[in-house]
Amino acid sequence: MIQLLAFYLFAALVVASGLLVILARNPVHSVLWLILAFFNAAGLMILIGAEFIAMLLVIVYVGAVAVLFLFVVMMLDIDFATLRAGLVKNFPLGLSIALILLAELVLGLGANSAGVLHLGVADGNAAPLAGAPNIEAIGAVLYSRYLFLFEAAGVVLLVAMIGAIVLTHRERGGIKPQNISKQVARRPEEATVNTQPEVGKGVSL
Amino acid sequence: MTAFFQSLGLPFEAAWLIATIAGILLIALPLMLSVAMVIYVDRKIWAAMALRRGPNVVGPLGLLQSFADGLKVFLQETIVPTAANKGIFLIGPIVTFTVTLLAWAVVPFNSGAILADINVGLLYVLAISSLGVYGTIMAGWASNSKYPFFSAMRASAQMISYEVSIGFILLCVVLWADSFNLGTIVEAQKGHVFGILNGFGFNPLLFPMWVLFLISGLAETQRAPFDLTEAESELVAGYQTEYSSMSFALFWLGEYGNVLLMCALNATLFWGGYLPPLDWAPLYVVPGIIWFLLKTAFFFFVFSWVKATVPRYRYDQLMRLGWKVFLPMSLLFVFMVSGYLMLTRYGA
């Protein structure tokens, strides 16, 4: 009973906030609705017993990705007139994407009613671990069966990260960055020079 | 507690509902009271370190100062600036305050005294604390004023930076405790060092992690010396500049609630939580919740001490500390801890 109520609450909120993401006039409101949608999706995950995925969804998407989204969107100079100007031009494209998604949904539902596909259970290797918590079950599969794919994904992310750094990093001349270890290592003896310059003669330090 | 209400003849659903609400109130109400007292303690400690008297007028020794302040802001008028984005402006402080209360659900106060004993307790704390920044961002943006906006920008960058290293630090604890459940993590600390010292903090491999966690905790809760979001010399009062009355008080309560949570996490994850410091039978006579509160109070003192004595960081120094010092160090320790455990516990 409680689960059923919670399910309908979360599901209705996901759909409603998803709608509001595209209907909201203000991009910042859109991002905030998107965050609400993520959050309720995490609630749905908890209901089906995938608490680890739910927490990851909140930590990664709500806690990091959406913050960066918000960060960027808040700094935009929003001009509402130009925002709406592209509507007529982009309408056919949007409509075709919507139709494709609808077709996929219908296909998926049709395939599901024709008989559920049992992915991963066919050879009996990946049967769910009975009684093990989410994290252990995922870890057991990820670090044994999908170890290569997992590590390959890690390498891809590393390359992407280094690429982003290399592309955006540039050395600028004429700035004096703070070198903290050098500052800490400075002693009075070497930092100060005692000179007695003659009158009218400068001193170079 | 559900079983107790069921024994009164209630059906399971009703008993569960009543037990959960009772549990929430049992945590939230004392928490609010302790936040009020902790604000007083913070001001007293700060005053003592600056050789001042601190609040000493309202009530005996000034003990009722926080309640007087609370009453004062409660009676003030709530002002919403005309240029503000009204809805988000009002939701901001509510988010901050609610998120603070949410995280306490998984904190073990005593053996078995935990509201939501979930498998992913520590991840839940991480997830909820990463939500905390939204209150600040929403407030800063909705105020439609430049200083709150700068503050919101700073807050979001700061939170993201320090959460990364906090994640790695907690990973070390999780590796050693072999669980994400906070209750199990506390139990794993029993007799951790030489079979007598209770607490991961006594472990030489985890002690540096605790130091990093304490400092990251200061940054995460935006306490001095990392309180750049409300640096009064630069940003007036930061994200709360435009707030008044209860919406301002909610920020205040949320902030101190977060500080208390960080202190409780320090106690729980590194210093044995509700266990006494030594695994020695007579010490177990003292109830676990007393140990827990004593440790939390001690860490709050450390937080106040830091606030009273350490000057504020500059923003680039804060970023440097997070990304160039804490991140590599915590990553190194994840390697060292997992390597050590692989050799000793799991037999190479």
Side-chain angles (χ1 to χ4, degrees), chain B residues 189-192 195-198 275-286 291:
Chain B
Q189 298 179 45
K190 196 166 180 176
H192 178 63
I196 179 96
L197 294 167
N198 293 335
L275 297 170
L278 292 177
D279 196 21
W280 181 46
L283 287 178
Y284 283 94
V285 176
V286 181
W291 286 117

Side-chain angles (χ1 to χ4, degrees), chain A residues 125-192:
Chain A
N125 275 341
L129 302 174
N134 261 232
I135 304 175
E136 285 174 26
I138 290 181
V141 178
L142 213 55
Y143 285 95
S144 56
R145 202 168 161 192
Y146 299 110
L147 182 64
F148 175 72
L149 293 175
F150 182 61
E151 294 196 337
V155 172
V156 170
L157 285 176
L158 182 70
V159 170
M161 190 179 78
I162 294 175
I165 294 172
V166 168
L167 285 177
T168 53
H169 185 74
R170 59 200 160 119
E171 291 284 346
R172 277 187 301 164
I175 51 165
K176 289 182 178 172
Q178 187 179 20
N179 186 344
I180 289 189
S181 51
K182 200 176 159 193
Q183 283 182 354
V184 172
R186 251 158 81 104
R187 292 283 161 267
E189 301 84 61
E190 66 213 46
T192 52

Side-chain angles (χ1 to χ4, degrees), chain B residues 2-346:
Chain B
T2 313
F4 167 73
F5 283 109
Q6 265 184 310
S7 71
L8 296 179
L10 287 167
F12 176 76
E13 266 97 6
W16 177 85
L17 193 68
I18 295 175
T20 310
I21 290 175
I24 291 170
L25 289 180
L26 266 178
I27 293 176
L29 294 182
L31 180 66
M32 283 302 98
L33 189 69
S34 45
V35 163
M37 291 325 292
V38 129
I39 292 175
Y40 164 77
V41 170
D42 198 25
R43 294 175 65 179
K44 270 290 191 196
I45 294 173
W46 206 9
M49 293 201 186
L51 298 180
R52 291 182 285 112
R53 284 182 196 280
N56 64 350
V57 176
V58 190
L61 298 170
L63 272 170
L64 299 176
Q65 181 66 47
S66 298
F67 299 99
D69 289 345
L71 190 67
K72 185 193 77 179
V73 293
F74 187 70
L75 295 175
Q76 279 174 342
E77 181 192 355
T78 305
I79 299 167
V80 181
T82 37
N85 198 314
K86 197 170 179 190
I88 297 180
F89 184 83
L90 292 177
I91 291 173
I94 298 174
V95 168
T96 304
F97 181 70
T98 316
V99 160
T100 305
L101 289 182
L102 276 177
W104 284 87
V106 293
V107 174
F109 292 94
N110 201 344
S111 157
I114 174 168
L115 180 65
D117 198 6
I118 53 177
N119 279 329
V120 287
L122 200 51
L123 283 177
Y124 173 84
V125 171
L126 260 185
I128 295 299
S129 72
S130 68
L131 285 182
V133 71
Y134 281 111
T136 312
I137 297 183
M138 286 158 100
W141 180 77
S143 294
N144 205 355
S145 158
K146 53 172 105 54
Y147 295 122
F149 188 67
F150 280 137
S151 165
M153 292 279 125
R154 285 183 175 189
S156 48
Q158 180 174 341
M159 293 286 267
I160 290 180
S161 310
Y162 279 84
E163 251 156 35
V164 179
S165 46
I166 283 191
F168 281 123
I169 292 164
L170 296 186
L171 211 56
C172 294
V173 174
V174 167
L175 279 170
W176 219 295
D178 216 4
S179 168
F180 275 96
N181 181 306
L182 285 174
T184 317
I185 289 175
V186 172
E187 289 301 330
Q189 298 179 45
K190 196 166 180 176
H192 178 63
V193 177
F194 307 130
I196 179 96
L197 294 167
N198 293 335
F200 285 142
F202 295 110
N203 184 330
L205 259 180
L206 290 176
F207 181 78
M209 287 294 93
W210 168 69
V211 176
L212 291 199
F213 184 69
L214 186 74
I215 301 172
S216 307
L218 287 169
E220 184 84 357
T221 52
Q222 287 149 20
R223 281 280 286 194
F226 305 114
D227 56 344
L228 286 140
T229 54
E230 43 201 79
E232 63 277 348
S233 51
E234 303 154 24
L235 298 180
V236 191
Y239 58 92
Q240 40 192 326
T241 306
E242 306 288 345
Y243 282 85
S244 62
S245 176
M246 273 320 272
S247 51
F248 173 76
L250 284 182
F251 274 128
W252 211 227
L253 290 173
E255 195 174 301
Y256 273 90
N258 267 333
V259 171
L260 273 184
L261 178 76
M262 229 4 122
C263 299
L265 282 181
N266 265 303
T268 306
L269 297 174
F270 287 96
W271 300 101
Y274 53 77
L275 297 170
L278 292 177
D279 196 21
W280 181 46
L283 287 178
Y284 283 94
V285 176
V286 181
I289 188 156
I290 303 280
W291 286 117
F292 174 77
L293 292 179
L294 274 178
K295 288 172 184 174
T296 308
F298 173 74
F299 286 114
F300 187 77
F301 172 73
V302 174
F303 270 56
S304 301
W305 185 8
V306 171
K307 181 178 174 171
T309 47
V310 184
R312 183 177 294 137
Y313 263 56
R314 218 171 52 209
Y315 198 71
D316 62 316
Q317 292 172 332
L318 174 87
M319 284 294 145
R320 178 189 164 272
L321 189 71
W323 289 106
K324 292 189 176 171
V325 180
F326 281 13
L327 185 61
M329 251 179 103
S330 52
L331 201 56
L332 177 72
F333 270 85
V334 170
F335 276 113
M336 279 166 51
V337 166
S338 48
Y340 178 81
L341 287 177
M342 210 171 87
L343 291 177
T344 54
R345 191 187 290 173
Y346 301 108

Side-chain angles (χ1 to χ4, degrees), chain A residues 48-70:
Chain A
I48 57 168
E51 72 261 16
F52 181 57
I53 305 285
M55 289 306 146
L56 280 195
L57 191 68
V58 176
I59 293 175
V60 175
Y61 281 92
V62 180
V65 174
V67 172
L68 290 179
F69 264 31
L70 206 56

Side-chain angles (χ1 to χ4, degrees), chain A residues 12-175:
Chain A
L13 280 172
V14 169
V15 174
S17 43
L19 259 180
L20 282 163
V21 171
I22 50 172
L23 291 182
R25 291 272 169 87
N26 192 328
V28 174
H29 291 184
S30 288
V31 178
L32 290 173
W33 286 117
L34 183 69
I35 291 161
L36 192 64
F38 281 147
F39 205 65
N40 284 297
L44 287 177
M45 296 285 184
I46 288 179
L47 280 183
I48 57 168
E51 72 261 16
F52 181 57
I53 305 285
M55 289 306 146
L56 280 195
L57 191 68
V58 176
I59 293 175
V60 175
Y61 281 92
V62 180
V65 174
V67 172
L68 290 179
F69 264 31
L70 206 56
F71 199 88
V72 173
V73 169
M74 282 198 313
M75 290 204 277
L76 293 178
D77 186 19
I78 303 159
D79 185 3
F80 291 103
T82 51
L83 266 183
R84 258 169 278 160
L87 182 67
V88 180
K89 202 180 70 185
N90 294 330
F91 192 72
L93 184 67
L95 195 68
S96 54
I97 289 176
L99 280 177
I100 290 170
L101 287 178
L102 183 70
E104 280 183 352
L105 212 60
V106 170
L107 266 178
L109 284 176
N112 189 40
S113 60
V116 182
L117 206 59
H118 292 283
L119 286 172
V121 192
D123 58 351
N125 275 341
L129 302 174
N134 261 232
I135 304 175
E136 285 174 26
I138 290 181
V141 178
L142 213 55
Y143 285 95
S144 56
R145 202 168 161 192
Y146 299 110
L147 182 64
F148 175 72
L149 293 175
F150 182 61
E151 294 196 337
V155 172
V156 170
L157 285 176
L158 182 70
V159 170
M161 190 179 78
I162 294 175
I165 294 172
V166 168
L167 285 177
T168 53
H169 185 74
R170 59 200 160 119
E171 291 284 346
R172 277 187 301 164
I175 51 165

